[in-house]
Amino acid sequence: MSVLSQRPANAIVGQEMPHEAANLHVTGAALYTDDLVGRTAGTLHAYPVRAEVAHGMVTKLDVTPAYDVPGVVRVLTGDDVPGVNDAGAKHDEPLFPTEVMFYGHAVAWVLAEDLEAARKGAAAVVLEVDPLPALITVTEAIKAESFQGARPTLERGDLDAGFAQADHVFEGVFEFAGQEHFYLETHCSLALVDENGQVFVQCSTQHPTETQDIVSHVLGVDAHEVTVQCLRMGGGFGGKEMQPHGFAAIAAIGAKLTGRPVRLRLNRNQDITMSGKRHGFHASWKVGFTCEGKIVALDATLTADGGWSLDLSEPVLARALCHVDNAYWVPNIKVAGRIAKSNKTSQTAFRGFGGPQGMLVMEDILGRVAPKLGIPAHELRRKNFYTAGQTTPYGQEVRHPERIASCWNQVWRDGELDRRMAEVQDYNAGHPYRKRGLAITPVKFGISFNFVSFNQGGALVHVYKDGSVLINHGGTEMGQGLHTKMLQVAATTLGVPLDRVRLAPTRTDKVPNTSATAASSGADLNGGAVKDACEQILARLEKVKADATEELGWDDLVRKAYLDRVQLWAAGYYRTEGLSWDASIVQGNPFKYFAFGAAATEVEVDGFTGAYATRRVDIVHDVGDSLSPLVDIGQIEGGFVQGAGWLTLEDLRWDTSDRPSRGRLATQAASTYKLPSFSEMPAQFNVQLLQDAHEDGAVYGSKAVGEPPLMLAFSVREALRQAAAAFGPEGTSVDLAGPATPEAVFWAVEAARANAG
């Protein structure tokens, strides 16, 4: 067992405890970025000037009328940028564009004494745009050959030979939608400049270091002149990994030019229509099976709808390619990837980061073809699981593949699936207008950034003279419980009670050059760094202890160390070992390990409307040796529900007409964009952590938990497919749209009924 994963007796990690800020959250005392505005005197408020066309060239921008509005202080345009007029990591996102690339694109920003004055000032700006043809759907972009970025191809084996040995070959096309993050806290930044010209940006960002990088190059200053702090976020889900940087830069420019603090907070309508979303995908595929149901060949093309700029589309696509296999051995495979360029918001990271999209293609294939093969869907899935010694299509060994079966078997046993499947059959036989479905699906999800350099973390740990401890680390807290886990790691490593440890907000001047809190790697990277810093301090204290003439408790030992002039703080560092990745050939070992899980879901569908209810969910998920079980179970529950929302409810709709409103997002609020609520929660929701799942080489034997549970929701979609198919004769195969809204389920039911005729 590695030193990193070895857990001491009576460890504080592994204990069930509430989120470290739970009391603050539920009482309303927790501060978020926008709450700081009331504590900052003289703050100006920013409001965007937005184009109401999906694509076009700016022919006139007259800001003079805005200055006639009482309270307006400054209007920011491209002429005000002191450095580089670009907010994208790929340098393809002008901060102040002259070419409008999506409906609602901001071309200028008004700063005023209050938000209403800023809004009126923005309305007064004269903006004229010469419209250009716009591509709105991914199929339009494909037809127009509008692509951007790399076009990787994943290959293994001999595709022709694989199809030659197939007894059954199927082909299909599957297009499915993206997803709005809909975090509770919208994008927000508060920037100010101190007496030395230092720029301080408080920002709701998952990646403070990259926010610092973008702000510094927009301002034309060195990174050390910009400090970014993230106190906490009211949700992120990937939407605050890349997208906050431009908004922070606008606030920073305003603060530099006016000498006053500038607050930029998007309202909900602006946030939904201006910020990126999960990538929708288009997939075409051809698959071969033996008569026993073994997959022998897969040929597919995955097209991600990237929107107007690249953002993170390339790594999202790469992860989709790396997860198209999910938990299944595919000996002969070729998957081509490409990124469509369309006139929509620039799509970005979202929990799972392309993995869900790749895995959904495979699960959709299996769900469609199982009835055609005459094999129950659960049997078809089970017989294609990875086994020991097998590798992924990109060449990485699947360690502990038996855990896929362990999760599956435990769900089957504890969920009483044998009995309940028989009951579902009996129910369906006796109810012509309502049908039930019961499906079980697995998850295999790789953990690490698929850009190797991002797999590093830092921390700064202070032990004060009185024995109290303060920790800083590079990860950000968005409600997922990372700070809770880091407190537990520090207390465990130092051997002190939890109440002796406090955590400070994430700041770039305390821990530099950190990676985004993303890719489910927050606890792995920052936990390793916190543990390293604590162990450095302990090593110094051991020498003090050895020189002592008596047994010393923690406080006395620390006091003696100070008097002996022993350093009581340390900078910790962690880098994930064993990773390699060649993006040009889509080969290597991009992941430290795989997280596994299985979920069974039972649904009931109304044949008249397509409306459905989720009756019961059973989950067994692998988090290794949990650092904080209560936090992890909450993440599993939340991830599952968010995944179910993407797959069944959350329906993004853009105007695809030829009217002037073409490209406008129609689902701009919770009234039109349906989120999961209490009514979508299952009557029974059983979640268990896989036991005896220690992960050697990870901090205290734990595994990541942020993203993998989202894919457990495939079981909801597959249960809906089976319920819809039950309206037709035995062996009916139905296609199901993505998302499987009640309308989509109704049309699947109608298609199944048509088979009966």
Side-chain angles (χ1 to χ4, degrees), residues 10 54 78 146 172 180 182 200 220 272 311 315 399 418 421 427 447 466 471 522 541 575 592 697 722:
N10 303 316
S146 176
E180 164 60 32
F182 221 106
F200 181 48
I272 290 180
D311 195 274
R399 292 191 303 110
D418 282 319
M421 283 187 174
Y427 180 90
I447 302 298
D466 64 353
I471 63 173
L541 290 176
R575 51 174 282 170
K592 178 67 174 176
Q722 292 179 19

mmCIF file with all atom_site columns, all heavy atoms in Angstrom, residues 10 54 78 146 172 180 182 200 220 272 311 315 399 418 421 427 447 466 471 522 541 575 592 697 722:
data_model
loop_
_atom_site.group_PDB
_atom_site.id
_atom_site.type_symbol
_atom_site.label_atom_id
_atom_site.label_alt_id
_atom_site.label_comp_id
_atom_site.label_asym_id
_atom_site.label_entity_id
_atom_site.label_seq_id
_atom_site.pdbx_PDB_ins_code
_atom_site.Cartn_x
_atom_site.Cartn_y
_atom_site.Cartn_z
_atom_site.occupancy
_atom_site.B_iso_or_equiv
_atom_site.pdbx_formal_charge
_atom_site.auth_seq_id
_atom_site.auth_comp_id
_atom_site.auth_asym_id
_atom_site.auth_atom_id
_atom_site.pdbx_PDB_model_num
ATOM 1   N N   . ASN A 1 10  ? -8.267  5.423   13.653  1.00 0.00 ? 10  ASN A N   1
ATOM 2   C CA  . ASN A 1 10  ? -9.048  6.542   14.202  1.00 0.00 ? 10  ASN A CA  1
ATOM 3   C C   . ASN A 1 10  ? -8.937  7.814   13.349  1.00 0.00 ? 10  ASN A C   1
ATOM 4   O O   . ASN A 1 10  ? -8.881  8.930   13.872  1.00 0.00 ? 10  ASN A O   1
ATOM 5   C CB  . ASN A 1 10  ? -8.608  6.849   15.643  1.00 0.00 ? 10  ASN A CB  1
ATOM 6   C CG  . ASN A 1 10  ? -8.736  5.640   16.540  1.00 0.00 ? 10  ASN A CG  1
ATOM 7   O OD1 . ASN A 1 10  ? -9.746  4.933   16.492  1.00 0.00 ? 10  ASN A OD1 1
ATOM 8   N ND2 . ASN A 1 10  ? -7.707  5.375   17.335  1.00 0.00 ? 10  ASN A ND2 1
ATOM 9   N N   . ALA A 1 54  ? -28.196 36.384  -34.738 1.00 0.00 ? 54  ALA A N   1
ATOM 10  C CA  . ALA A 1 54  ? -27.336 35.221  -34.474 1.00 0.00 ? 54  ALA A CA  1
ATOM 11  C C   . ALA A 1 54  ? -25.959 35.357  -35.118 1.00 0.00 ? 54  ALA A C   1
ATOM 12  O O   . ALA A 1 54  ? -24.991 34.760  -34.638 1.00 0.00 ? 54  ALA A O   1
ATOM 13  C CB  . ALA A 1 54  ? -28.016 33.948  -34.970 1.00 0.00 ? 54  ALA A CB  1
ATOM 14  N N   . GLY A 1 78  ? -14.175 48.066  -27.374 1.00 0.00 ? 78  GLY A N   1
ATOM 15  C CA  . GLY A 1 78  ? -12.893 47.465  -27.722 1.00 0.00 ? 78  GLY A CA  1
ATOM 16  C C   . GLY A 1 78  ? -11.738 48.443  -27.650 1.00 0.00 ? 78  GLY A C   1
ATOM 17  O O   . GLY A 1 78  ? -10.589 48.038  -27.434 1.00 0.00 ? 78  GLY A O   1
ATOM 18  N N   . SER A 1 146 ? -19.049 22.990  -41.561 1.00 0.00 ? 146 SER A N   1
ATOM 19  C CA  . SER A 1 146 ? -18.546 24.018  -40.660 1.00 0.00 ? 146 SER A CA  1
ATOM 20  C C   . SER A 1 146 ? -17.978 23.351  -39.417 1.00 0.00 ? 146 SER A C   1
ATOM 21  O O   . SER A 1 146 ? -18.716 22.959  -38.504 1.00 0.00 ? 146 SER A O   1
ATOM 22  C CB  . SER A 1 146 ? -19.685 24.984  -40.284 1.00 0.00 ? 146 SER A CB  1
ATOM 23  O OG  . SER A 1 146 ? -19.241 25.931  -39.334 1.00 0.00 ? 146 SER A OG  1
ATOM 24  N N   . GLY A 1 172 ? -27.235 3.185   -37.287 1.00 0.00 ? 172 GLY A N   1
ATOM 25  C CA  . GLY A 1 172 ? -28.178 4.177   -36.787 1.00 0.00 ? 172 GLY A CA  1
ATOM 26  C C   . GLY A 1 172 ? -27.574 5.553   -36.671 1.00 0.00 ? 172 GLY A C   1
ATOM 27  O O   . GLY A 1 172 ? -26.362 5.748   -36.837 1.00 0.00 ? 172 GLY A O   1
ATOM 28  N N   . GLU A 1 180 ? -28.244 23.018  -19.829 1.00 0.00 ? 180 GLU A N   1
ATOM 29  C CA  . GLU A 1 180 ? -27.936 24.271  -19.145 1.00 0.00 ? 180 GLU A CA  1
ATOM 30  C C   . GLU A 1 180 ? -27.478 23.982  -17.721 1.00 0.00 ? 180 GLU A C   1
ATOM 31  O O   . GLU A 1 180 ? -28.086 23.173  -17.011 1.00 0.00 ? 180 GLU A O   1
ATOM 32  C CB  . GLU A 1 180 ? -29.180 25.167  -19.139 1.00 0.00 ? 180 GLU A CB  1
ATOM 33  C CG  . GLU A 1 180 ? -29.142 26.324  -18.160 1.00 0.00 ? 180 GLU A CG  1
ATOM 34  C CD  . GLU A 1 180 ? -27.994 27.298  -18.398 1.00 0.00 ? 180 GLU A CD  1
ATOM 35  O OE1 . GLU A 1 180 ? -27.597 27.485  -19.564 1.00 0.00 ? 180 GLU A OE1 1
ATOM 36  O OE2 . GLU A 1 180 ? -27.499 27.861  -17.409 1.00 0.00 ? 180 GLU A OE2 1
ATOM 37  N N   . PHE A 1 182 ? -27.520 25.896  -15.009 1.00 0.00 ? 182 PHE A N   1
ATOM 38  C CA  . PHE A 1 182 ? -28.527 26.394  -14.071 1.00 0.00 ? 182 PHE A CA  1
ATOM 39  C C   . PHE A 1 182 ? -28.069 26.315  -12.615 1.00 0.00 ? 182 PHE A C   1
ATOM 40  O O   . PHE A 1 182 ? -28.797 25.897  -11.711 1.00 0.00 ? 182 PHE A O   1
ATOM 41  C CB  . PHE A 1 182 ? -29.865 25.675  -14.241 1.00 0.00 ? 182 PHE A CB  1
ATOM 42  C CG  . PHE A 1 182 ? -31.050 26.602  -14.157 1.00 0.00 ? 182 PHE A CG  1
ATOM 43  C CD1 . PHE A 1 182 ? -31.763 26.958  -15.285 1.00 0.00 ? 182 PHE A CD1 1
ATOM 44  C CD2 . PHE A 1 182 ? -31.440 27.150  -12.929 1.00 0.00 ? 182 PHE A CD2 1
ATOM 45  C CE1 . PHE A 1 182 ? -32.840 27.835  -15.212 1.00 0.00 ? 182 PHE A CE1 1
ATOM 46  C CE2 . PHE A 1 182 ? -32.515 28.017  -12.845 1.00 0.00 ? 182 PHE A CE2 1
ATOM 47  C CZ  . PHE A 1 182 ? -33.218 28.363  -14.000 1.00 0.00 ? 182 PHE A CZ  1
ATOM 48  N N   . PHE A 1 200 ? -7.502  43.329  -7.813  1.00 0.00 ? 200 PHE A N   1
ATOM 49  C CA  . PHE A 1 200 ? -8.032  42.245  -6.983  1.00 0.00 ? 200 PHE A CA  1
ATOM 50  C C   . PHE A 1 200 ? -9.420  41.899  -7.506  1.00 0.00 ? 200 PHE A C   1
ATOM 51  O O   . PHE A 1 200 ? -10.307 42.752  -7.541  1.00 0.00 ? 200 PHE A O   1
ATOM 52  C CB  . PHE A 1 200 ? -8.100  42.682  -5.518  1.00 0.00 ? 200 PHE A CB  1
ATOM 53  C CG  . PHE A 1 200 ? -8.621  41.624  -4.580  1.00 0.00 ? 200 PHE A CG  1
ATOM 54  C CD1 . PHE A 1 200 ? -8.132  40.329  -4.615  1.00 0.00 ? 200 PHE A CD1 1
ATOM 55  C CD2 . PHE A 1 200 ? -9.629  41.923  -3.653  1.00 0.00 ? 200 PHE A CD2 1
ATOM 56  C CE1 . PHE A 1 200 ? -8.610  39.355  -3.735  1.00 0.00 ? 200 PHE A CE1 1
ATOM 57  C CE2 . PHE A 1 200 ? -10.112 40.964  -2.787  1.00 0.00 ? 200 PHE A CE2 1
ATOM 58  C CZ  . PHE A 1 200 ? -9.603  39.679  -2.830  1.00 0.00 ? 200 PHE A CZ  1
ATOM 59  N N   . GLY A 1 220 ? -2.961  43.657  -20.101 1.00 0.00 ? 220 GLY A N   1
ATOM 60  C CA  . GLY A 1 220 ? -1.606  43.905  -20.556 1.00 0.00 ? 220 GLY A CA  1
ATOM 61  C C   . GLY A 1 220 ? -0.607  44.044  -19.432 1.00 0.00 ? 220 GLY A C   1
ATOM 62  O O   . GLY A 1 220 ? 0.354   44.811  -19.530 1.00 0.00 ? 220 GLY A O   1
ATOM 63  N N   . ILE A 1 272 ? -28.238 32.489  -18.940 1.00 0.00 ? 272 ILE A N   1
ATOM 64  C CA  . ILE A 1 272 ? -28.640 31.365  -19.784 1.00 0.00 ? 272 ILE A CA  1
ATOM 65  C C   . ILE A 1 272 ? -28.341 31.649  -21.254 1.00 0.00 ? 272 ILE A C   1
ATOM 66  O O   . ILE A 1 272 ? -27.917 30.756  -21.993 1.00 0.00 ? 272 ILE A O   1
ATOM 67  C CB  . ILE A 1 272 ? -30.142 31.049  -19.590 1.00 0.00 ? 272 ILE A CB  1
ATOM 68  C CG1 . ILE A 1 272 ? -30.381 30.456  -18.197 1.00 0.00 ? 272 ILE A CG1 1
ATOM 69  C CG2 . ILE A 1 272 ? -30.642 30.077  -20.648 1.00 0.00 ? 272 ILE A CG2 1
ATOM 70  C CD1 . ILE A 1 272 ? -31.825 30.109  -17.924 1.00 0.00 ? 272 ILE A CD1 1
ATOM 71  N N   . ASP A 1 311 ? -13.410 27.166  -26.955 1.00 0.00 ? 311 ASP A N   1
ATOM 72  C CA  . ASP A 1 311 ? -13.526 26.967  -25.510 1.00 0.00 ? 311 ASP A CA  1
ATOM 73  C C   . ASP A 1 311 ? -12.830 25.653  -25.131 1.00 0.00 ? 311 ASP A C   1
ATOM 74  O O   . ASP A 1 311 ? -11.641 25.481  -25.403 1.00 0.00 ? 311 ASP A O   1
ATOM 75  C CB  . ASP A 1 311 ? -15.009 26.969  -25.109 1.00 0.00 ? 311 ASP A CB  1
ATOM 76  C CG  . ASP A 1 311 ? -15.249 27.132  -23.617 1.00 0.00 ? 311 ASP A CG  1
ATOM 77  O OD1 . ASP A 1 311 ? -15.240 26.105  -22.912 1.00 0.00 ? 311 ASP A OD1 1
ATOM 78  O OD2 . ASP A 1 311 ? -15.459 28.256  -23.159 1.00 0.00 ? 311 ASP A OD2 1
ATOM 79  N N   . PRO A 1 315 ? -10.874 19.067  -25.669 1.00 0.00 ? 315 PRO A N   1
ATOM 80  C CA  . PRO A 1 315 ? -10.781 18.037  -24.624 1.00 0.00 ? 315 PRO A CA  1
ATOM 81  C C   . PRO A 1 315 ? -12.112 17.365  -24.305 1.00 0.00 ? 315 PRO A C   1
ATOM 82  O O   . PRO A 1 315 ? -12.137 16.200  -23.919 1.00 0.00 ? 315 PRO A O   1
ATOM 83  C CB  . PRO A 1 315 ? -10.223 18.795  -23.415 1.00 0.00 ? 315 PRO A CB  1
ATOM 84  C CG  . PRO A 1 315 ? -10.455 20.234  -23.689 1.00 0.00 ? 315 PRO A CG  1
ATOM 85  C CD  . PRO A 1 315 ? -10.408 20.382  -25.171 1.00 0.00 ? 315 PRO A CD  1
ATOM 86  N N   . ARG A 1 399 ? -7.952  -1.567  -14.759 1.00 0.00 ? 399 ARG A N   1
ATOM 87  C CA  . ARG A 1 399 ? -7.672  -2.204  -13.473 1.00 0.00 ? 399 ARG A CA  1
ATOM 88  C C   . ARG A 1 399 ? -8.968  -2.394  -12.686 1.00 0.00 ? 399 ARG A C   1
ATOM 89  O O   . ARG A 1 399 ? -9.877  -1.584  -12.770 1.00 0.00 ? 399 ARG A O   1
ATOM 90  C CB  . ARG A 1 399 ? -6.685  -1.372  -12.653 1.00 0.00 ? 399 ARG A CB  1
ATOM 91  C CG  . ARG A 1 399 ? -5.281  -1.329  -13.225 1.00 0.00 ? 399 ARG A CG  1
ATOM 92  C CD  . ARG A 1 399 ? -4.294  -0.719  -12.251 1.00 0.00 ? 399 ARG A CD  1
ATOM 93  N NE  . ARG A 1 399 ? -4.658  0.617   -11.819 1.00 0.00 ? 399 ARG A NE  1
ATOM 94  C CZ  . ARG A 1 399 ? -5.080  0.925   -10.592 1.00 0.00 ? 399 ARG A CZ  1
ATOM 95  N NH1 . ARG A 1 399 ? -5.194  -0.018  -9.661  1.00 0.00 ? 399 ARG A NH1 1
ATOM 96  N NH2 . ARG A 1 399 ? -5.379  2.173   -10.283 1.00 0.00 ? 399 ARG A NH2 1
ATOM 97  N N   . ASP A 1 418 ? -34.624 -9.766  -9.770  1.00 0.00 ? 418 ASP A N   1
ATOM 98  C CA  . ASP A 1 418 ? -35.302 -10.966 -10.301 1.00 0.00 ? 418 ASP A CA  1
ATOM 99  C C   . ASP A 1 418 ? -36.801 -10.891 -10.012 1.00 0.00 ? 418 ASP A C   1
ATOM 100 O O   . ASP A 1 418 ? -37.633 -11.069 -10.915 1.00 0.00 ? 418 ASP A O   1
ATOM 101 C CB  . ASP A 1 418 ? -34.712 -12.241 -9.673  1.00 0.00 ? 418 ASP A CB  1
ATOM 102 C CG  . ASP A 1 418 ? -33.387 -12.632 -10.307 1.00 0.00 ? 418 ASP A CG  1
ATOM 103 O OD1 . ASP A 1 418 ? -33.280 -12.518 -11.542 1.00 0.00 ? 418 ASP A OD1 1
ATOM 104 O OD2 . ASP A 1 418 ? -32.471 -13.036 -9.574  1.00 0.00 ? 418 ASP A OD2 1
ATOM 105 N N   . MET A 1 421 ? -38.498 -7.710  -11.813 1.00 0.00 ? 421 MET A N   1
ATOM 106 C CA  . MET A 1 421 ? -38.658 -7.823  -13.269 1.00 0.00 ? 421 MET A CA  1
ATOM 107 C C   . MET A 1 421 ? -39.859 -8.694  -13.618 1.00 0.00 ? 421 MET A C   1
ATOM 108 O O   . MET A 1 421 ? -40.599 -8.401  -14.564 1.00 0.00 ? 421 MET A O   1
ATOM 109 C CB  . MET A 1 421 ? -37.382 -8.356  -13.914 1.00 0.00 ? 421 MET A CB  1
ATOM 110 C CG  . MET A 1 421 ? -36.289 -7.304  -14.045 1.00 0.00 ? 421 MET A CG  1
ATOM 111 S SD  . MET A 1 421 ? -34.861 -7.868  -14.993 1.00 0.00 ? 421 MET A SD  1
ATOM 112 C CE  . MET A 1 421 ? -33.920 -6.336  -15.093 1.00 0.00 ? 421 MET A CE  1
ATOM 113 N N   . TYR A 1 427 ? -47.384 -6.799  -14.397 1.00 0.00 ? 427 TYR A N   1
ATOM 114 C CA  . TYR A 1 427 ? -48.107 -5.527  -14.428 1.00 0.00 ? 427 TYR A CA  1
ATOM 115 C C   . TYR A 1 427 ? -48.434 -5.125  -15.866 1.00 0.00 ? 427 TYR A C   1
ATOM 116 O O   . TYR A 1 427 ? -49.558 -4.728  -16.187 1.00 0.00 ? 427 TYR A O   1
ATOM 117 C CB  . TYR A 1 427 ? -47.278 -4.432  -13.750 1.00 0.00 ? 427 TYR A CB  1
ATOM 118 C CG  . TYR A 1 427 ? -47.948 -3.073  -13.742 1.00 0.00 ? 427 TYR A CG  1
ATOM 119 C CD1 . TYR A 1 427 ? -48.783 -2.692  -12.700 1.00 0.00 ? 427 TYR A CD1 1
ATOM 120 C CD2 . TYR A 1 427 ? -47.755 -2.173  -14.793 1.00 0.00 ? 427 TYR A CD2 1
ATOM 121 C CE1 . TYR A 1 427 ? -49.412 -1.456  -12.684 1.00 0.00 ? 427 TYR A CE1 1
ATOM 122 C CE2 . TYR A 1 427 ? -48.375 -0.934  -14.794 1.00 0.00 ? 427 TYR A CE2 1
ATOM 123 C CZ  . TYR A 1 427 ? -49.207 -0.581  -13.738 1.00 0.00 ? 427 TYR A CZ  1
ATOM 124 O OH  . TYR A 1 427 ? -49.833 0.635   -13.739 1.00 0.00 ? 427 TYR A OH  1
ATOM 125 N N   . ILE A 1 447 ? -10.652 8.914   -14.284 1.00 0.00 ? 447 ILE A N   1
ATOM 126 C CA  . ILE A 1 447 ? -10.391 10.077  -13.422 1.00 0.00 ? 447 ILE A CA  1
ATOM 127 C C   . ILE A 1 447 ? -8.985  10.614  -13.655 1.00 0.00 ? 447 ILE A C   1
ATOM 128 O O   . ILE A 1 447 ? -8.003  9.910   -13.446 1.00 0.00 ? 447 ILE A O   1
ATOM 129 C CB  . ILE A 1 447 ? -10.570 9.710   -11.939 1.00 0.00 ? 447 ILE A CB  1
ATOM 130 C CG1 . ILE A 1 447 ? -11.982 9.194   -11.688 1.00 0.00 ? 447 ILE A CG1 1
ATOM 131 C CG2 . ILE A 1 447 ? -10.247 10.915  -11.063 1.00 0.00 ? 447 ILE A CG2 1
ATOM 132 C CD1 . ILE A 1 447 ? -13.100 10.181  -11.969 1.00 0.00 ? 447 ILE A CD1 1
ATOM 133 N N   . ASP A 1 466 ? -0.138  28.660  18.744  1.00 0.00 ? 466 ASP A N   1
ATOM 134 C CA  . ASP A 1 466 ? -1.050  28.059  19.724  1.00 0.00 ? 466 ASP A CA  1
ATOM 135 C C   . ASP A 1 466 ? -1.515  26.665  19.315  1.00 0.00 ? 466 ASP A C   1
ATOM 136 O O   . ASP A 1 466 ? -2.352  26.064  19.980  1.00 0.00 ? 466 ASP A O   1
ATOM 137 C CB  . ASP A 1 466 ? -2.259  28.967  19.952  1.00 0.00 ? 466 ASP A CB  1
ATOM 138 C CG  . ASP A 1 466 ? -3.114  29.129  18.704  1.00 0.00 ? 466 ASP A CG  1
ATOM 139 O OD1 . ASP A 1 466 ? -2.711  28.647  17.620  1.00 0.00 ? 466 ASP A OD1 1
ATOM 140 O OD2 . ASP A 1 466 ? -4.205  29.738  18.807  1.00 0.00 ? 466 ASP A OD2 1
ATOM 141 N N   . ILE A 1 471 ? -5.400  26.150  6.572   1.00 0.00 ? 471 ILE A N   1
ATOM 142 C CA  . ILE A 1 471 ? -4.991  25.565  5.294   1.00 0.00 ? 471 ILE A CA  1
ATOM 143 C C   . ILE A 1 471 ? -5.546  26.384  4.131   1.00 0.00 ? 471 ILE A C   1
ATOM 144 O O   . ILE A 1 471 ? -6.660  26.889  4.167   1.00 0.00 ? 471 ILE A O   1
ATOM 145 C CB  . ILE A 1 471 ? -5.413  24.085  5.158   1.00 0.00 ? 471 ILE A CB  1
ATOM 146 C CG1 . ILE A 1 471 ? -6.934  23.917  5.186   1.00 0.00 ? 471 ILE A CG1 1
ATOM 147 C CG2 . ILE A 1 471 ? -4.762  23.239  6.234   1.00 0.00 ? 471 ILE A CG2 1
ATOM 148 C CD1 . ILE A 1 471 ? -7.390  22.492  4.878   1.00 0.00 ? 471 ILE A CD1 1
ATOM 149 N N   . GLY A 1 522 ? -10.589 17.291  -7.792  1.00 0.00 ? 522 GLY A N   1
ATOM 150 C CA  . GLY A 1 522 ? -10.331 18.237  -6.717  1.00 0.00 ? 522 GLY A CA  1
ATOM 151 C C   . GLY A 1 522 ? -9.766  17.607  -5.461  1.00 0.00 ? 522 GLY A C   1
ATOM 152 O O   . GLY A 1 522 ? -8.785  18.091  -4.887  1.00 0.00 ? 522 GLY A O   1
ATOM 153 N N   . LEU A 1 541 ? 8.536   18.426  13.187  1.00 0.00 ? 541 LEU A N   1
ATOM 154 C CA  . LEU A 1 541 ? 8.124   18.263  14.586  1.00 0.00 ? 541 LEU A CA  1
ATOM 155 C C   . LEU A 1 541 ? 8.685   16.976  15.193  1.00 0.00 ? 541 LEU A C   1
ATOM 156 O O   . LEU A 1 541 ? 8.900   16.910  16.415  1.00 0.00 ? 541 LEU A O   1
ATOM 157 C CB  . LEU A 1 541 ? 6.601   18.272  14.684  1.00 0.00 ? 541 LEU A CB  1
ATOM 158 C CG  . LEU A 1 541 ? 5.916   19.617  14.406  1.00 0.00 ? 541 LEU A CG  1
ATOM 159 C CD1 . LEU A 1 541 ? 4.400   19.451  14.444  1.00 0.00 ? 541 LEU A CD1 1
ATOM 160 C CD2 . LEU A 1 541 ? 6.356   20.674  15.424  1.00 0.00 ? 541 LEU A CD2 1
ATOM 161 N N   . ARG A 1 575 ? 1.544   15.778  -7.733  1.00 0.00 ? 575 ARG A N   1
ATOM 162 C CA  . ARG A 1 575 ? 1.355   15.524  -9.158  1.00 0.00 ? 575 ARG A CA  1
ATOM 163 C C   . ARG A 1 575 ? 0.952   14.069  -9.336  1.00 0.00 ? 575 ARG A C   1
ATOM 164 O O   . ARG A 1 575 ? 1.490   13.175  -8.672  1.00 0.00 ? 575 ARG A O   1
ATOM 165 C CB  . ARG A 1 575 ? 2.615   15.825  -9.972  1.00 0.00 ? 575 ARG A CB  1
ATOM 166 C CG  . ARG A 1 575 ? 3.879   15.176  -9.453  1.00 0.00 ? 575 ARG A CG  1
ATOM 167 C CD  . ARG A 1 575 ? 5.054   15.406  -10.387 1.00 0.00 ? 575 ARG A CD  1
ATOM 168 N NE  . ARG A 1 575 ? 4.987   14.521  -11.549 1.00 0.00 ? 575 ARG A NE  1
ATOM 169 C CZ  . ARG A 1 575 ? 5.784   14.640  -12.620 1.00 0.00 ? 575 ARG A CZ  1
ATOM 170 N NH1 . ARG A 1 575 ? 6.674   15.617  -12.664 1.00 0.00 ? 575 ARG A NH1 1
ATOM 171 N NH2 . ARG A 1 575 ? 5.693   13.801  -13.620 1.00 0.00 ? 575 ARG A NH2 1
ATOM 172 N N   . LYS A 1 592 ? -5.779  8.115   -13.947 1.00 0.00 ? 592 LYS A N   1
ATOM 173 C CA  . LYS A 1 592 ? -5.139  7.475   -12.797 1.00 0.00 ? 592 LYS A CA  1
ATOM 174 C C   . LYS A 1 592 ? -5.846  6.176   -12.459 1.00 0.00 ? 592 LYS A C   1
ATOM 175 O O   . LYS A 1 592 ? -5.223  5.173   -12.095 1.00 0.00 ? 592 LYS A O   1
ATOM 176 C CB  . LYS A 1 592 ? -5.174  8.445   -11.594 1.00 0.00 ? 592 LYS A CB  1
ATOM 177 C CG  . LYS A 1 592 ? -4.589  7.885   -10.303 1.00 0.00 ? 592 LYS A CG  1
ATOM 178 C CD  . LYS A 1 592 ? -3.097  7.656   -10.420 1.00 0.00 ? 592 LYS A CD  1
ATOM 179 C CE  . LYS A 1 592 ? -2.498  7.248   -9.083  1.00 0.00 ? 592 LYS A CE  1
ATOM 180 N NZ  . LYS A 1 592 ? -1.069  6.926   -9.196  1.00 0.00 ? 592 LYS A NZ  1
ATOM 181 N N   . GLY A 1 697 ? -2.624  4.394   -4.149  1.00 0.00 ? 697 GLY A N   1
ATOM 182 C CA  . GLY A 1 697 ? -2.038  5.473   -4.930  1.00 0.00 ? 697 GLY A CA  1
ATOM 183 C C   . GLY A 1 697 ? -2.875  6.733   -4.972  1.00 0.00 ? 697 GLY A C   1
ATOM 184 O O   . GLY A 1 697 ? -2.504  7.699   -5.640  1.00 0.00 ? 697 GLY A O   1
ATOM 185 N N   . GLN A 1 722 ? -37.759 0.779   -22.274 1.00 0.00 ? 722 GLN A N   1
ATOM 186 C CA  . GLN A 1 722 ? -38.397 -0.533  -22.104 1.00 0.00 ? 722 GLN A CA  1
ATOM 187 C C   . GLN A 1 722 ? -39.891 -0.393  -21.830 1.00 0.00 ? 722 GLN A C   1
ATOM 188 O O   . GLN A 1 722 ? -40.692 -1.197  -22.324 1.00 0.00 ? 722 GLN A O   1
ATOM 189 C CB  . GLN A 1 722 ? -37.696 -1.301  -20.984 1.00 0.00 ? 722 GLN A CB  1
ATOM 190 C CG  . GLN A 1 722 ? -36.268 -1.710  -21.349 1.00 0.00 ? 722 GLN A CG  1
ATOM 191 C CD  . GLN A 1 722 ? -35.558 -2.460  -20.237 1.00 0.00 ? 722 GLN A CD  1
ATOM 192 O OE1 . GLN A 1 722 ? -36.191 -2.987  -19.331 1.00 0.00 ? 722 GLN A OE1 1
ATOM 193 N NE2 . GLN A 1 722 ? -34.239 -2.511  -20.311 1.00 0.00 ? 722 GLN A NE2 1
#
